[in-house]
Every structure is written in C-alpha cells, then in structure tokens.
Amino acid sequence: MPVTIRDVAAASGVSIGTVSRALNDYPDVSTVTRERVRAAAAELGYVPNQSAQFLSSKRLTSIALIISGFLEDKVFNDFDIMLTRGAFQFATEHDVPISLHVTNSREQAERSLDQLCFEHNVSGAIVFGLRTDDPYCESLSRSTTPCVTVDVPVPGERVGSVVLDDCAAASEMTDYLVSCGHRRIAVVHGSRTAVVSVERMEGIVRSLRSHGIELRDEDVIYTNFTHEEAFEKVGAYLDAHPEPRVTAFLCMSDLLALGTIQAIQRRGLSVPEDFSVTGYDGISLAGFVSPAITTVDQNVQTKGYEAARLLCDMISGRREACRVVLPHSLRKGGSVRKISR
Amino acid sequence: MPVTIRDVAAASGVSIGTVSRALNDYPDVSTVTRERVRAAAAELGYVPNQSAQFLSSKRLTSIALIISGFLEDKVFNDFDIMLTRGAFQFATEHDVPISLHVTNSREQAERSLDQLCFEHNVSGAIVFGLRTDDPYCESLSRSTTPCVTVDVPVPGERVGSVVLDDCAAASEMTDYLVSCGHRRIAVVHGSRTAVVSVERMEGIVRSLRSHGIELRDEDVIYTNFTHEEAFEKVGAYLDAHPEPRVTAFLCMSDLLALGTIQAIQRRGLSVPEDFSVTGYDGISLAGFVSPAITTVDQNVQTKGYEAARLLCDMISGRREACRVVLPHSLRKGGSVRKISR
DNA sequence: TTGAAAGCGCTAACAA
DNA sequence: TTGTTAGCGCTTTCAA
C-alpha cells in the first residue's frame, strides 16, 4: 500500500495541510514541526504523487520533449538521443519534471500542442524532428502553450527556437579547407530543397567567392542525405574524372562524408593523401572511423540543454520567446590535409 | 482555457458521468447519447487529462521505462535509443501510456522502484542499464511493483527479465568462423568481470573445443570494452607476432572490432584479406564502416519491444514473471573471409 | 439508461 | 503557526 500524505500526517501528529507546507518549504511552519514532518516522511518513505500535485497545483511547471518521427525507421539516430540527453540533463539539474512524447504526423494532425500539454499536465514543450514543410509548424505558431522548436524556426508569439547558423558554419568549414591550400573543391550536397542544405550552400559559396574561387556546377554532387547515394554518386564522379579536378570534398553531413571516403578508398585512393574530405553534424560515428572525419560539431546535446533552458525561462516569464543561435565548432580529424599550392 | 469533461457535458446536455462512460465505451450508454457526446467532444477538441485519469481510476495501466546512467557520459548510446524505441513502439501500438525516467545510482539509493512508480502513477517498469553488481538489483527483487529487467536477470516474485543467450550466440559466431576455415583464432576480450564477457567466453571456448581447437592464453587480449584499448592492445599483439599466429580476431563488441580493424589497417594489413574480424552487438556503426563488421545482432529494439510486452502481460496477469530469452542473429558483413585450410 | 456524489492525493485559500 | 476545507478533472459506485 502506497504511503500518502495522510499517513505522514498521522505519523507526525499534524494535519495534511501542514505536511504539505512543511515538505514544500513554506516559510510559515515552525522549525520543530518541519523537522518532525520531514522525519516522519523519510521514515515512511513518502514520495508525493505527481499526478495529484499536477492536478491540484496551478504553479507547477513540468515540461515535455516531443519528438516527431521517433519511431519511424531512421538509419541513424544520434540526434534524437543527444537532444534527449541534453534536455533531460537541464531538467534534472534544475529539478524540472520532464517527460518524453513521441508523435507522428497523424497524431499531430488530430492533437494540437495545447491539447497534448493539457493531456499530460505540462506547461510547455520542446518540439524536435519537425521538417520545415511540416503542417504542424502552422499549428504551433497559433499555440498558446509556450514551446521551443529545435532547428526549424517557427513564427509565433509563444514559440521560441534554438538553431544553428548553418550558413556561417559552412562558411567556416570552407575557409578552413581553403586555408589548408585547397582551391578546387567539390561539394557533396544533401538535398536541393532542405533548408539546412540551402543555408550551408550559401555559406560555402560565400566563402569561396571571398577567396576568389568559383564553384563549378559540375562539381556539385546532389544526394538525398544518404550514405549509399554519396558512395555511388561520388564514385561515379571519380570515375568520370580520372584526372582529378579537385583536391577536396566538402560534404553536407557526416554520413555523406563517410560514403565519400568509402568511394575514394574503394578506388584504391586514400584520404587525406589523395583527397581531403569534410563532414557536418558531429555524430559520434565521425570520431570512430579512420581517418576521423573533420566536421562541424552541431553540439546537439547542448541544443537540447539550451532548448530546455529557453523553455523554462519562457514559462517563468524570465525571457520572451526568441531565436537562440547556438555556437557550432569545427572538430578536426585526420580527413583533411594541408597541401602545398 | 482548456476543455474539461464539464464543458463536454454542458455542450451535449448530459452529466459528466455520462460523458465519461460514453467516451470510455461503457456498454450502458444509449447509442444516441454516445454519438452526441462524441460529437461534442470532437467539436470542442476535448482530450482527457491523464493526471486526473490516473488519480481517479483504479484500472488504468501505464508503464515506465527507467534508464540507469542515461546522463552519464558514454561514448556510444545506440543501446539506449534502440531500447527506448522498442518499448515506445509496443506501448504506442497497444495504447499503453509510457513514460521515460532517467536515474543514477544516487537516486536509486534514495528511491525504491515502488516509490518511483507511485510517484508517477505507473503500474510497472522496464529497468535498463543495470549492471550485474548494482545494489539496485537487490532492491528490485523485493519490489511489489511488477518490473522487467533487461540483460541482467534479477530474482524476485514480481521481476521478469529479457535476456540474450550470450553463450549460445558467441558459440555460433565461433562456429561460423571455424566453418570459414579459421582454426587459429584470437579473442579480444571485453572485461574479466562483466557477466556478458564471461558468458561469451564460455560460448567461444565450448565451440572451439567441440571442433578440437584449443584457445591459447596468449591469444586472449584483455580490454575494458573500449575502442582505444582494442586499438592499442591488438596493435601490440600484432607487433609481437610479425609471423601471424592467427587468422581471425573474435571481438566481444563492435567497438572492439572497430579498434581491432584499425590496428590492423594501421600496419598496412587489411581486413578480411590478412585477418578476419568479428564483432558483437549489432550497433549501427557496424554496418557503416568498411568492411562492414560481421556481428551478433542483439536486436536491441526487439528487446525493448518484448520487455514492454512481458511487463504489460505481467501487469494484466496474463503472464507470470519469467525470463524471456530473445533470439539473436548473425549479421554477416565483409569483415570475414573464407580461407582454404 | 442516466444523474448525483464520493473520492483519487494533493495544494492553497481561509479561518482559527 | 496550524487545521479545515474546497477544489484540480476524472472514474465509479449507488440511486433513481
């Protein structure tokens, strides 16, 4: 039989109201009583029932992490787990109850964020896994519950976002390649339509231009962000140009970089001796393969952490909904080498 | 303002009791009323508040997934995410509310499973991330709340477990290597004390013996399950034996196999031409590197799925607490080759 | 077939 | 400083 507040009250000889006040550190309880109640609670192993707390309290702030498409098959889900870790870490450190909810587009269509939050008694949510063209975005922007989207900025009075400056990051990576002496660079592109790809491309082109380098159309290799496609398309590119046109492949994700490296190695060439290769994302895989992939670390765990922080700040009114741009970092591996010009 | 059952009652002109019965498919509601209530609920966008349901209902069963050490730094967390996916998948498919809780040893010491379950109104839990020598195991075995442990069997009236037959799996892997013509095999060992390692070693030795092969002490390379250690120790082993003693390395995890492959490649040798290498676990990484690692797929997602199933069965009384042994599978990559004897 | 009402365990406003 | 009590939103008797 579970121990309720009533048991603690009986054991310490006070009323349930006093127990509640004592345990919640209200000021108007005598030290003696507080101690007695605490002792009794500890003795009995009392833990308050969260549902009851949620139900009766107006001020309790618990948050939710909503991951869209979590259950769909994905080849790689470093992102989901790192983001979850970051958010849970913040919540744990700050004693904020947090819950994880997985959704899909069907569910999102029939249940608004407001509804979901009411259903689970949460006062705000972090929304992850949205795609830019997701119909849920529009629904979110009308939400009255505070929320924070990750990666995809969504307009709305109560909607904050945590994003990366993809353009700047891609630009930096390009600068780095150029500083290593690379002037003929191929780009392994993620997707013609995805916003991240467009942003990254913008950054690449901007950097190249600033160095007086032009990117030729035939040196842009389009994929759909899959490892296999990179392997095949880069392979075809290499076969089409036995006399190497470029010295480096700048890839829009680590998985693409991996496919690229494998295509190169399959042809008896090596990285970074024959070609330098860079990635983007900073998934753990990038550090495990050899050579380790030089990449833009998105710091996904930090993203989760900061998303939780922003949300909690919004809920408590300490901060307005806003767009937070997180720092990225260049992680150097062995996949790039300096070349003499 | 959130929509409550009272709003639905008012809108459909019945009492809240009737709304509850109509929406929960009780038989004693007239079809007309039921439809009217449903329509009103849909119209208003009503969703029941879970906390209130939990609090008032005796029969509602929700489950929890408790991950121990989730927030601790781990190089690789494929397991956490796959297990979570499996459990959430089962719960979603069977309409069982599920929640994720992360704990650590400190928290486990001060809060028993019973307490945690009462706190969150759950009727049972899947416990993942336990180590064999974890003091929490003992606490679990006295638990009155039904629970299912993953990987680590724990005795107890109300404790079920979902495990792999590590001995058999390792045995199969060894059989496979032998069937490919390998008779001189080195073992890259995980940890002298971990139960999984002991089990796997048992399987390996048993298989070898059945083929009349003896494993020499100097061909067992001990590590602590880290990638770096495998890289170094296998490297040292290779350096110590320029005239190869063995044709294959049987590793106790995929990460060890990766380190082993890199040590081999670093010396200008190649896999599988010079040495065959096998892993264990079936993490996604194993499929991405080249050559893809031949490994024992633990089917972690299935583990999560089956753990949830067992737990729900135990809660509803359909099944007793028991130990479920899940099937593993050999996943063949390019890291092993057949050799002529 | 329905409505009224008693809780589930807790917080918070109000009295004392 | 404390006890009493009215809910929070829901389910589930018990009557009608």
Side-chain angles (χ1 to χ4, degrees), chain A residues 35-168:
Chain A
E35 284 316 314
R36 196 143 39 89
V37 170
R38 285 225 182 108
E43 168 76 22
L44 295 172
Y46 168 74
V47 270
N49 180 298
Q50 265 203 359
S51 295
Q53 281 186 317
F54 287 156
L55 204 56
S56 83
S57 165
K58 266 94 219 26
R59 60 152 242 293
L60 233 100
T61 56
S62 83
I63 64 174
L65 170 59
I66 302 175
I67 303 190
S68 203
F70 180 71
L71 294 178
E72 264 98 273
D73 257 341
K74 272 178 281 184
V75 279
F76 217 78
N77 32 37
D78 243 36
F79 298 122
D80 290 349
I81 197 79
M82 294 311 274
L83 194 99
T84 305
R85 278 176 72 168
F88 272 71
Q89 192 191 336
F90 179 90
T92 304
E93 284 176 11
H94 295 79
D95 262 317
V96 177
I98 186 169
S99 53
L100 173 71
H101 304 273
V102 306
T103 61
N104 49 48
S105 1
R106 193 181 47 71
E107 247 183 45
Q108 285 173 349
E110 61 190 33
R111 182 151 315 182
S112 72
L113 181 71
D114 287 341
Q115 289 177 316
L116 191 140
C117 287
F118 173 70
E119 178 180 16
H120 295 102
N121 266 109
V122 301
S123 25
I126 299 166
V127 183
F128 181 61
L130 281 180
R131 290 182 332 181
T132 321
D133 57 347
D134 212 306
Y136 200 51
C137 292
E138 212 214 326
S139 149
L140 283 183
S141 65
R142 282 194 310 274
S143 158
T144 65
T145 317
C147 64
V148 171
T149 60
V150 178
D151 287 336
V152 178
V154 168
E157 194 71 25
R158 310 286 289 156
V159 190
S161 320
V162 169
V163 298
L164 216 66
D165 188 342
D166 275 301
C167 179

Side-chain angles (χ1 to χ4, degrees), chain B:
Chain B
M1 210 64 259
V3 180
T4 74
I5 199 172
R6 235 170 287 277
D7 301 316
V8 180
S12 49
V14 294
S15 72
I16 61 165
T18 303
V19 172
S20 174
R21 283 182 296 244
L23 261 28
N24 288 298
D25 285 323
Y26 276 54
D28 53 355
V29 179
S30 75
T31 320
V32 197
T33 310
R34 190 189 308 284
E35 284 315 314
R36 194 143 40 89
V37 170
R38 285 224 182 109
E43 167 76 22
L44 296 171
Y46 168 73
V47 270
N49 179 297
Q50 266 203 358
S51 295
Q53 282 186 316
F54 287 154
L55 204 54
S56 82
S57 167
K58 267 94 215 39
R59 57 154 243 291
L60 224 93
T61 57
S62 82
I63 64 174
L65 171 59
I66 301 175
I67 303 190
S68 202
F70 179 71
L71 295 177
E72 263 98 272
D73 258 337
K74 271 179 281 183
V75 279
F76 218 79
N77 32 36
D78 242 37
F79 299 122
D80 290 349
I81 196 80
M82 295 310 277
L83 194 100
T84 305
R85 279 176 73 167
F88 271 70
Q89 191 191 336
F90 179 90
T92 304
E93 285 175 10
H94 295 79
D95 262 316
V96 177
I98 185 168
S99 52
L100 173 70
H101 304 273
V102 307
T103 61
N104 50 48
S105 1
R106 193 181 45 70
E107 245 183 48
Q108 284 173 349
E110 62 191 32
R111 182 150 315 181
S112 72
L113 181 71
D114 287 340
Q115 288 177 315
L116 191 140
C117 288
F118 172 71
E119 178 180 18
H120 296 102
N121 266 109
V122 301
S123 25
I126 299 166
V127 183
F128 181 61
L130 281 179
R131 291 183 331 180
T132 320
D133 57 347
D134 213 306
Y136 200 51
C137 291
E138 212 213 326
S139 149
L140 283 182
S141 67
R142 282 194 310 274
S143 158
T144 64
T145 317
C147 64
V148 171
T149 60
V150 178
D151 287 336
V152 177
V154 169
E157 194 71 24
R158 310 286 290 155
V159 189
S161 321
V162 168
V163 298
L164 216 66
D165 188 341
D166 275 301
C167 179
S171 209
E172 256 175 61
M173 180 58 97
T174 314
D175 286 346
Y176 173 67
L177 273 180
V178 173
S179 79
C180 288
H182 298 274
R183 302 192 63 82
R184 292 172 302 143
I185 296 171
V187 171
V188 181
H189 199 286
S191 147
R192 281 173 201 269
T193 53
V195 173
V196 286
S197 298
V198 174
E199 287 282 315
R200 290 171 199 178
M201 196 61 185
E202 167 84 26
I204 293 167
V205 170
R206 199 177 290 178
S207 159
L208 288 176
R209 195 164 295 154
S210 80
H211 294 289
I213 302 172
E214 207 191 337
L215 177 64
R216 285 196 266 180
D217 279 350
E218 58 260 55
D219 291 338
V220 178
I221 301 161
Y222 290 94
T223 72
N224 269 310
F225 269 127
T226 73
H227 169 245
E228 293 80 8
E229 240 181 319
F231 180 79
E232 277 159 33
K233 301 242 170 111
V234 171
Y237 177 89
L238 289 170
D239 293 339
H241 305 286
E243 201 58 36
R245 308 165 49 84
V246 301
T247 60
F249 289 90
L250 204 160
C251 308
M252 287 203 184
S253 85
D254 290 338
L255 243 34
L256 292 180
L258 186 66
T260 299
I261 291 175
Q262 290 171 342
I264 293 170
Q265 291 176 339
R266 175 62 59 91
R267 280 156 185 79
L269 301 167
S270 65
V271 177
E273 287 72 17
D274 297 298
F275 296 101
S276 289
V277 176
T278 65
Y280 198 109
D281 285 343
I283 60 179
S284 56
L285 182 70
F288 279 116
V289 296
S290 63
I293 300 171
T294 293
T295 186
V296 171
D297 193 340
Q298 292 209 40
N299 298 311
V300 183
Q301 189 163 345
T302 306
K303 260 191 204 169
Y305 193 90
E306 291 304 322
R309 183 206 299 283
L310 173 57
L311 179 60
C312 288
D313 285 353
M314 282 168 58
I315 290 172
S316 66
R318 278 193 300 276
R319 203 158 26 148
E320 291 282 298
C322 62
R323 182 184 306 195
V324 172
V325 179
L326 290 181
H328 48 264
S329 48
L330 223 65
R331 205 165 75 198
K332 294 178 189 171
S335 68
V336 172
R337 79 173 179 112
K338 268 203 156 56
I339 57 175
S340 44
R341 306 169 65 163

